[in-house]
Amino acid sequence: MSADDVDAATDDTEVARRSVTDAESPPWYTEPLGVALVASYAGLALLGGFVTAGFAFPSLVSGGAVSVGSETPLAVPPQLFLYAGLGGFAYVFVTLSSNPEADVTTVGHLGLRVPAALLVAIGVFLFASALGVAPTDAGPGAARTLAGSAFLTGLFVEHGLKALRSVSARLYPGDPRDLYGARRGSDDRER
Amino acid sequence: MREVELRRDRAGGASDSAVESGAAWYTERLGVALVVVYALLACLGVLAVVGAIEGAFFVGRFDARYYRTNPFRIPPQLLVYAFVGSLTHVFTALAADPDAETRTVLRFGSRVPVALLLVFPAYVLFVSLPGHVPATADLEWTRQLAGMAFLLGLFVEHAVGGFRTVGEALILGRIVRPMLGRLGRSATDASE
């Protein structure tokens, strides 16, 4: 196993790139499973949209419920998962519209990014100050900054993951390049 | 089967790590069950992280001043974050390699106990580093502490590399180094 293999496995964009080349398999809308998958994605995205608009669970998005303050420093605001999920579904539909003939397997693969996006958003929230997305004031703009970074984390999971990876490598004593260079040799070449 | 052909194509084209042989996890009942279990555990972790689960691991209350004066008392909330971080690794690895075999999926999950165990040395190391000794029990420090536990689960190999550096610097280096070397190798294997 070479370093390139590791790279291919860790690079999320590889999924999208490969999906464009699978032209020979039947598109998703010819199979009931594919239609069901896309319908469930659309349903969940629509539900998320309703929640952000305040039609359902209005306590999640209305005013004072956003607690980014110091009284509960560890708890993650549940709103972030909403926006990260919406970002994940945005990625799904953007990719689907750029490659409308994708097969069912690809559509399923796209959906796998959504749980990853939800979870990576936790790390981005906790390291918001180290990543430069921490809100500077306590007004409504602060909550919007956090929600926006959660949305972008959902949309570009691999960016969030890369940022967290560099934070993690700097966290421990020793040269971060040792962590990158020892077995993941091609990471240096990438940047 | 169509999926199998598809995966063969991909194995030939893009050098994917785990698709040379065996069926993808979603073609086997055990693989689907595993991923469902991971998803349920992740839901549990998310509920704990937003503060919906009260008890010993409740994240809504955190007295940073107490842990500043008791440096060897480890906040139990860190275990929650390490747990969620290791499940994050499971799902990001699955999103990067969606056709992984059931065995590979099982190996993704083997990080969860490793991360939970490494919380203890990582916390002691973290609070003893010059930049991380909490001068004031502030918001940033508390959040980065939780973030440290989260990243511990997400990138176990970084933590092991850090421990290796410390172990080599210590006088016990000659004993600890080969042990950590072995551990590092197995952790890197698990991440692939």
Side-chain angles (χ1 to χ4, degrees):
Chain A
M1 183 165 304
S2 72
D4 285 340
D5 291 355
V6 179
D7 236 30
T10 48
D11 191 2
D12 289 16
T13 52
E14 199 68 22
V15 178
R17 217 173 295 138
R18 256 182 282 148
S19 67
V20 181
T21 57
D22 289 335
E24 68 276 5
S25 40
W28 57 270
Y29 44 79
T30 57
E31 291 180 42
L33 178 62
V35 174
L37 268 177
V38 174
S40 64
Y41 296 160
L44 285 172
L46 210 60
L47 182 67
F50 273 131
V51 175
T52 50
F55 295 136
F57 309 110
S59 63
L60 266 181
V61 284
S62 62
V66 182
S67 64
V68 291
S70 52
E71 61 274 6
T72 57
L74 278 186
V76 179
Q79 291 89 351
L80 292 191
F81 296 108
L82 173 65
Y83 288 99
L86 277 179
F89 284 119
Y91 177 86
V92 169
F93 285 107
V94 165
T95 313
L96 212 55
S97 64
S98 70
N99 180 23
E101 310 289 315
D103 61 336
V104 180
T105 320
T106 311
V107 171
H109 291 175
L110 286 177
L112 275 178
R113 283 174 58 109
V114 176
L118 293 177
L119 291 168
V120 170
I122 300 174
V124 173
F125 168 72
L126 291 173
F127 278 109
S129 64
L131 297 176
V133 294
T136 47
D137 59 340
R144 227 168 269 152
T145 309
L146 281 179
S149 59
F151 184 83
L152 289 183
T153 307
L155 196 52
F156 306 111
V157 180
E158 60 272 22
H159 290 186
L161 208 56
K162 268 209 171 124
L164 287 180
R165 174 177 300 215
S166 65
V167 169
S168 170
R170 275 184 275 129
L171 202 61
Y172 297 99
D175 194 349
R177 268 176 308 182
D178 291 345
L179 300 177
Y180 282 126
R183 288 179 190 84
R184 301 178 177 261
S186 47
D187 264 27
D188 288 326
R189 238 186 302 136
E190 238 173 52
R191 273 176 285 124
Chain B
M1 268 181 80
R2 197 178 48 76
E3 285 103 344
V4 177
E5 284 170 19
L6 199 68
R7 264 183 295 105
R8 290 235 176 87
D9 284 357
R10 282 183 189 163
S15 57
D16 232 341
S17 57
V19 291
E20 295 95 12
S21 63
W25 59 269
Y26 45 80
T27 59
E28 288 177 40
R29 198 169 295 167
L30 178 64
V32 174
L34 263 178
V35 173
V36 167
V37 167
Y38 291 153
L40 288 177
L41 288 177
C43 286
L44 188 70
V46 165
L47 281 179
V49 156
V50 300
I53 296 179
E54 307 228 357
F57 299 112
F58 183 53
V59 298
R61 260 189 321 274
F62 186 78
D63 188 5
R65 214 170 296 118
Y66 174 78
Y67 292 107
R68 188 161 48 119
T69 47
N70 298 278
F72 289 102
R73 190 65 61 87
I74 288 161
Q77 287 94 340
L78 295 190
L79 289 172
V80 173
Y81 284 94
F83 179 71
V84 172
S86 53
L87 285 168
T88 306
H89 171 261
V90 170
F91 282 100
T92 51
L94 203 60
D97 183 15
D99 287 322
E101 281 176 64
T102 308
R103 268 177 43 223
T104 315
V105 173
L106 191 62
R107 223 169 43 187
F108 292 157
S110 69
R111 275 205 176 196
V112 177
V114 174
L116 289 180
L117 282 177
L118 287 183
V119 162
F120 299 99
Y123 176 75
V124 174
L125 182 64
F126 187 82
V127 296
S128 58
L129 287 181
H132 294 294
V133 177
T136 53
D138 60 346
L139 182 70
E140 287 314 321
W141 180 75
T142 311
R143 228 166 243 169
Q144 292 202 357
L145 193 61
M148 183 274 295
F150 181 84
L151 291 186
L152 183 66
L154 193 51
F155 305 110
V156 167
E157 64 274 6
H158 290 181
V160 172
F163 296 153
R164 192 187 296 135
T165 308
V166 173
E168 283 172 3
L170 288 178
I171 205 152
L172 285 173
R174 215 170 299 157
I175 306 167
V176 172
R177 195 182 307 160
M179 276 163 58
L180 285 174
R182 268 202 300 281
L183 185 60
R185 219 170 298 129
S186 56
T188 318
D189 287 346
S191 72
E192 282 167 9

